Amino acid sequence: QVQLVESGGGLVQAGGSLRLSCGASGSIFSIAVMAWYRQAPGKQREWVALITSGGSPNYADSVKGRFTISRDNAKNTMYLQMNSLKPEDTAVYYCKVIADLQVVWGQGTQVTVSS
């Protein structure tokens, strides 16, 4: 059973930065895609960024140029560096991984950007 633990959320002023982490634990043979999603109050969950097992990133247009996704395969950990944060980035951020053909979600971490 794969488990995900997210950390790094918090309150930051507009223009500031935060770094989210998502660590996978359990009996893991391989992790394919790792991704971040977010859900703002009253809105549907939306995809933010993903990174393949080979390290190729892809971003939603709303965060392109401001967010950077990375992963450490040796640690089964994914990161999201968020710079130039805007109030509209306020949301609960979730990590999702495809590990050993299972889709696993983290519990979410709150990011609040004040104006």
Side-chain angles (χ1 to χ4, degrees):
Q1 188 77 11
V2 178
Q3 294 182 327
L4 302 178
V5 177
E6 298 144 340
S7 62
L11 172 64
V12 64
Q13 289 188 330
S17 299
L18 283 174
R19 189 192 193 208
L20 306 183
S21 298
C22 173
S25 62
S27 178
I28 302 170
F29 179 70
S30 67
I31 297 178
V33 176
M34 304 183 81
W36 289 99
Y37 286 72
R38 66 186 181 187
Q39 187 167 18
K43 294 188 177 181
Q44 289 189 329
R45 191 171 298 188
E46 65 174 0
W47 168 72
V48 174
L50 67 83
I51 187 165
T52 66
S53 58
S56 296
N58 203 353
Y59 301 95
D61 287 343
S62 59
V63 305
K64 201 172 293 184
R66 299 187 299 122
F67 291 9
T68 302
I69 190 171
S70 61
R71 63 190 282 177
D72 184 334
N73 290 332
K75 296 180 179 179
N76 289 331
T77 300
M78 169 178 65
Y79 306 96
L80 186 68
Q81 178 66 42
M82 305 186 294
N83 298 328
S84 302
L85 283 161
K86 305 175 181 179
E88 50 264 44
D89 294 318
T90 295
V92 177
Y93 283 71
Y94 298 89
C95 63
K96 184 182 93 170
V97 303
I98 301 175
D100 301 334
L101 302 181
Q102 301 175 65
V103 177
V104 184
W105 288 89
Q107 81 285 356
T109 184
Q110 176 70 47
V111 171
T112 303
V113 185
S114 63
S115 57

